[in-house]
Each structure stands twice: as C-alpha cells, then as structure tokens.
Amino acid sequence: MKPMSFTPIEEWNIPRLAGPLIISGPCSAESEDQMLETARGIAGLGVHVFRAGIWKPRTRPGSFEGVGSVGLNWLRRVRQETGLLTATEVANVKHVYEALRAGVDIIWVGARTSVNPFAIQEIADALRGVDIPVLVKNPVNPDLDLWMGAIERFHEAGIRKLAALHRGFCGLEQSPLRNEPYWHLVIELRRRIPRIPLICDPSHIAGRRDMIPELAQHAMRLDYQGLMVESHRRPEEALSDAKQQLTFDELKSLLGSLVVLHSDIEDRDVKLKIQELRSEIDQLDLALIRNLGKRMAVARRIGALKKEHSIALFQSERWSEIVDRSHERARREQLDEGFIDDIFQTIHQESIREQERS
C-alpha cells in the first residue's frame, strides 16, 4: 500500500487553534437546555469543538440510547450561539447523512463500530467526496490491524482530514482504569502509519474524573495533537458515564495546567546530547538481541535433550526459580517487577517454542 497522506490538524480551519485541538462536551445530548448551558460554560475555556453523543450504542437495551436526530438541532444552536464547532458519533449510513444535513463539523466512529469492517466500509463510502474531519476510535479489543484497517478504509475513500482517536482497550488485568491505554499500541500505530494525527480520549480510558488530568498530560508527553474530554453542567445528573465527566471548573483546571511539549528539538546542544544517548541505547539494544539469540540457541539444545530423554518441555519449578531471581534483580536495579514479568514471560514462551522446534 502507498504511504498515506493526512491534512495536519492545524490546517483543518479550526478557529483559535494555537495548540492542541480540544474537544469537549457531554457524553450524551440530554436536552436542549443541558446542551446550551454546557456549551456556554466551556466556550471560554480554550475548547475548540463541542462534542455530544446523539445516538448512543449501549451494551444492553433499556439503557439511555440517546435522544436521536432531534439532538442535531441542539448542536446547530450550540454553534450559532457560541461559535464552537460541533462533533458527534456516527454508527451507520443513516447517521452520516443526518449529521451532514445538520451541518455537524466533525464526526467520529466509535469503538463498537471500528471492530466491524462492513460498517466502516459503508460509512466510508457514504463520506466519499465529502470534506469533513473524521476521527476513528480504536476498537474495543487491542487489535491494531482492525484500527489500521478502519483508518485505511476512510483514507481510500478520499478522507484526508483524518485522525486516530485513542480511547483505550478492554484488558483482562485488574486495573483502576476503565480501559487500558496500551500506549505501546498507539506508538506502533504511528510507526506503521507515519504522520497520522493522534487525539486522546482520557475520559474513556480513566472512567473516573480524578484520573483524567494525569492521562491527558501523558498524552501530551507522547506528542498527541488533541484531547477529547467529556464535560457536563452537572455530572452527577448525567444520563450516561456520569463518573467520567468534568465540571466546568475541573475542565478549566485541566486545560490551565496542561503542559504542551514539542516534538522538534531546536537547541543544538540538547539535540547532540540526545543523539549521543540514543547511540548508547542502540548499542545496548544490539547487545540485548545478541544475548537473546545466544539464549535461544541454548534453549534449543535443552529442547533436544528433553526430546531425547522424553522430558516435559515445561518445568514449573524451573520457571518459579527464574521468576524469583528476576524479581530480586529487578528490585536491585530499581526496575518495576511487572515490567520484568512481561519481558520474561515473553522470553519464556519463545524458549518453549524454540524447544518444540529442536
């Protein structure tokens, strides 16, 4: 596939955009009064785009599934009264046509939609020839190819104002977060699709308002180009996702404390020092790979001996010994034990695979 080209966010004709793109507003449109009061409350805080869910895909019937098309009229009034651009989620072709007719400025596809290539293709076809920014949320499960495929389908339809919207993934591990960020997957996405604009949705990653500022700042450290943060006039009364929506004061505090970093290194001395340190890391990485190669060669020799003498590949006592020793060394080197566990579990799985091949 040919390299993809994207229109940078700063060329999306967003009024007053001088830093990261800030999208904010309630999880759901609940009433015209709620929409207008929320929009007025956030309009002067540095927000560029007002967001609200008109159609809400819910896991089970009976939950609040949005007000439907009538909410599009409320979005139109928000723009007329505050000057904020507007954004909403679309999940099918009908939503696309209604949002376009209502003059919605930006649309996004949600995590439940991006898992379905058929739905994504239909939406992309409906947008063919339309000059509108499209944000593609990552799928619910941590499948990078699915996310890339959704982005590629919109790109093939001619959409160039395109961004990846990171809202976190459902993980199996215990966590205080609603969704695991898996930042490494986003870094890999950017490696595979260079120059794709990145927007973080810390509200859905956190699931609770007190953790949103830390996640938002981490996204800035990773050179994201924007944030989508949910806000509500009275979050405790919200009909959906009440725990992850910020008050006006909380949103003002977050945006006021946000430190925006730059990817370009302008200071020559700093640049040279970073290059020197990166060169040192490159040498260490090569040594790691060489040692891993040597380790797997030994694993194959062990596998041959086990096969010759009918010994089981997995030895639980040996694995426990490796884990205990790695934890001890991790503490000595001031390394996180979970980080070391992840590394050694991967190495151990590969060692078993190499022994099977011997």
Side-chain angles (χ1 to χ4, degrees):
M1 177 177 290
K2 294 180 180 179
M4 288 188 278
S5 60
F6 304 94
T7 303
I9 288 179
E10 54 268 25
E11 297 177 18
W12 286 11
N13 298 321
I14 309 289
R16 302 177 301 279
L17 183 66
L21 174 66
I22 304 298
I23 304 170
S24 191
C27 174
S28 303
E30 299 164 358
S31 69
E32 185 173 26
D33 180 62
Q34 169 245 6
M35 293 270 277
L36 290 170
E37 185 178 339
T38 302
R40 293 178 190 125
I42 67 175
L45 303 183
V47 174
H48 307 102
V49 181
F50 181 85
R51 60 139 288 153
I54 303 299
W55 305 279
K56 298 296 298 178
R58 312 308 293 175
T59 302
R60 301 180 63 185
S63 303
F64 177 64
E65 296 183 319
V67 296
S69 302
V70 65
L72 294 170
N73 296 323
W74 307 340
L75 278 178
R76 189 184 291 113
R77 279 204 63 190
V78 163
R79 179 162 188 184
Q80 290 171 347
E81 292 198 16
T82 67
L84 292 171
L85 301 186
T86 58
T88 197
E89 178 180 347
V90 297
N92 56 44
V93 172
K94 177 178 178 291
H95 295 167
V96 171
Y97 291 146
E98 292 196 23
L100 292 177
R101 279 197 299 269
V104 172
D105 299 289
I106 297 174
I107 61 174
W108 78 84
V109 291
R112 290 179 173 87
T113 304
S114 59
V115 300
N116 186 339
F118 293 109
I120 289 293
Q121 189 62 61
E122 289 177 356
I123 294 172
D125 288 341
L127 288 169
R128 197 176 295 274
V130 179
D131 183 25
I132 186 172
V134 177
L135 316 180
V136 183
K137 279 196 174 185
N138 63 261
V140 175
N141 50 316
D143 188 330
L144 188 55
D145 285 336
L146 265 181
W147 197 5
M148 290 177 60
I151 293 167
E152 289 165 350
R153 290 176 190 277
F154 285 109
H155 191 271
E156 289 177 0
I159 304 296
R160 295 296 179 266
K161 294 176 181 176
L162 195 57
L165 182 53
H166 175 212
R167 50 84 74 190
F169 305 85
C170 289
L172 298 177
E173 57 266 40
Q174 294 274 335
S175 172
L177 300 171
R178 176 178 178 178
N179 293 297
E180 289 300 319
Y182 293 154
W183 302 104
H184 64 284
L185 288 182
V186 185
I187 292 170
E188 178 62 12
L189 175 74
R190 179 175 273 168
R191 186 189 72 81
R192 296 194 196 180
I193 309 180
R195 295 177 294 280
I196 177 77
L198 295 177
I199 297 173
C200 185
D201 176 356
S203 301
H204 276 86
I205 295 175
R208 39 186 276 197
R209 61 180 59 88
D210 63 306
M211 299 184 74
I212 291 174
E214 179 183 346
L215 291 164
Q217 185 57 64
H218 189 75
M220 292 297 99
R221 286 196 290 269
L222 293 179
D223 196 30
Y224 282 59
Q225 285 72 56
L227 297 171
M228 179 183 280
V229 184
E230 292 185 350
S231 58
H232 195 285
R233 60 178 179 176
R234 288 184 290 276
E236 68 278 2
E237 298 178 4
L239 299 181
S240 59
D241 290 346
K243 294 180 180 180
Q244 68 186 42
Q245 300 188 65
L246 302 184
T247 64
F248 302 155
D249 286 342
E250 289 168 336
L251 180 63
K252 180 180 180 180
S253 175
L254 184 156
L255 297 180
S257 63
L258 203 63
V259 178
V260 180
L261 306 177
H262 303 283
S263 58
D264 295 332
I265 305 171
E266 297 180 357
D267 188 298
R268 182 177 179 276
D269 291 338
V270 172
K271 187 173 184 177
L272 288 172
K273 185 60 178 176
I274 289 176
Q275 287 175 344
E276 178 185 336
L277 293 171
R278 284 174 175 171
S279 177
E280 187 176 342
I281 283 178
D282 290 344
Q283 294 303 311
L284 292 169
D285 287 346
L286 288 173
L288 279 173
I289 292 171
R290 280 197 297 266
N291 285 326
L292 285 172
K294 293 175 181 178
R295 192 187 195 283
M296 294 307 158
V298 174
R300 288 191 289 271
R301 288 161 56 193
I302 292 174
L305 283 170
K306 287 178 177 178
K307 186 176 295 184
E308 181 182 349
H309 296 281
S310 301
I311 300 172
L313 291 178
F314 178 66
Q315 302 287 315
S316 59
E317 290 183 3
R318 169 60 177 164
W319 174 236
S320 295
E321 178 187 331
I322 292 173
V323 170
D324 291 342
R325 186 172 61 245
S326 67
H327 283 180
E328 180 185 345
R329 291 177 179 173
R331 289 190 292 270
R332 192 182 309 160
E333 298 294 333
Q334 297 183 331
L335 294 171
D336 181 76
E337 289 185 12
F339 165 64
I340 295 300
D341 278 342
D342 289 343
I343 290 174
F344 273 91
Q345 284 172 9
T346 301
I347 291 173
H348 187 251
Q349 290 169 5
E350 183 63 16
S351 295
I352 295 292
R353 193 177 72 85
E354 289 287 350
Q355 289 183 34
E356 286 178 324
R357 292 171 54 189
S358 61

